[in-house]
Every structure is written in structure tokens, then in C-alpha cells.
Amino acid sequence: MDKKDLIDYWVETSNQDYKTMLNLYESKDYHWSLFIGHLVIEKLLKSIYVKNIDDNPPRIHDLLRLAEKAQIETTEEQKDALDLITTFNINARYPDYKQNFYKKCDNEFTATNIKKVKELRTWLLSMINEK
């Protein structure tokens, strides 16, 4: 795959995950919707990494580290959001965190954080679409 194909791959799979995140939220699978929200942002960051740095994005899941490695300038608010969304990957995946996370993920908590995913997604897509 050439660079454009790789960028498109990450964006397209992120878009598919975005739809899944929204469907999971609608079906009240709140903790899984936030887990998928993490993937939405991770894949867009990897797309930007390919655009800015190299064809082989790092195999890490820490969103702030990915943003730094992709040489994306972030505000403190964006850093906080990336750090928070990274926890959704850990909390939904590992049994010792899962139960506490599941209890935390009510409609209000999930809606608030899906809004953050949407805002980051819009911002990241604007960077990808820049010439």
C-alpha cells in the first residue's frame, strides 16, 4: 500500500468504528461504546502518524503518546481528553478494572465522553484532510 492507501485505511476503519460506537451507545452498551471510542481516536492518530512521520505507526494504545509521536500540537484540554479516553481501552479490557468501569458508565458519563470523542474526531479529521 502507498501512503495515501494507508491513511485511507486508518480513516475508513475509524469511521466504521465510529458507527459501531454510536450503535453501542444507542443500545446502552455504554462501556463497550467508550472502548470503541478509544479505537476511533487511535486509528485517526495512526493515520496522522502515517501522514506526518512514517508508514509504520507505533503499536501502542496510549493516545497522548501517539499524538506526540505524530508531532501533533495539543492543548492541555486535548491532552486531558486523550489521557482519559486511553483509560477506556484499559478499563473495558481487563477484568480487575472492568467491573468498576462498568458501574461508572451510566448514560450521563458515557454521553459526556462520547462528546469528547466526537470533538477529537472532528479535530483529527481536519488535520488529515489538510493538504
Side-chain angles (χ1 to χ4, degrees):
M1 279 198 257
D2 67 10
K3 186 173 231 169
K4 183 186 179 325
D5 290 336
L6 284 169
I7 292 168
D8 290 347
Y9 163 79
W10 287 113
V11 172
E12 288 168 17
T13 59
S14 175
N15 288 340
Q16 292 166 358
D17 289 345
Y18 181 74
K19 291 175 191 170
T20 301
M21 176 192 75
L22 296 175
N23 288 335
L24 287 166
Y25 175 72
E26 288 301 316
S27 69
K28 300 184 183 351
D29 285 325
Y30 298 137
H31 68 296
W32 285 120
S33 69
L34 292 175
F35 175 79
I36 299 298
H38 172 273
L39 293 176
V40 169
I41 301 305
E42 180 180 331
K43 290 175 179 183
L44 292 177
L45 288 169
K46 289 183 176 183
S47 177
I48 294 170
Y49 183 92
V50 170
K51 181 180 179 183
N52 292 349
I53 309 298
D54 184 63
D55 290 354
N56 295 305
R59 294 178 184 222
I60 59 175
H61 308 291
D62 182 317
L63 301 180
L64 183 54
R65 281 190 57 217
L66 276 171
E68 290 167 352
K69 288 183 176 293
Q71 298 179 350
I72 299 170
E73 290 190 30
T74 53
T75 65
E76 286 303 313
E77 185 178 336
Q78 289 164 332
K79 287 177 185 177
D80 290 344
L82 291 168
D83 275 339
L84 176 66
I85 294 166
T86 295
T87 68
F88 302 157
N89 178 46
I90 296 164
N91 289 334
R93 182 173 286 184
Y94 297 105
D96 47 339
Y97 296 102
K98 199 174 199 174
Q99 193 59 33
N100 286 335
F101 184 58
Y102 183 80
K103 289 177 186 175
K104 187 188 288 191
C105 291
D106 61 12
N107 184 44
E108 182 180 348
F109 178 85
T110 306
T112 298
N113 288 296
I114 282 181
K115 182 178 183 223
K116 290 177 186 177
V117 170
K118 288 178 178 181
E119 289 168 355
L120 287 171
R121 178 178 179 263
T122 299
W123 170 61
L124 295 170
L125 284 170
S126 73
M127 276 188 264
I128 293 164
N129 294 324
E130 287 176 351
K131 296 293 178 195

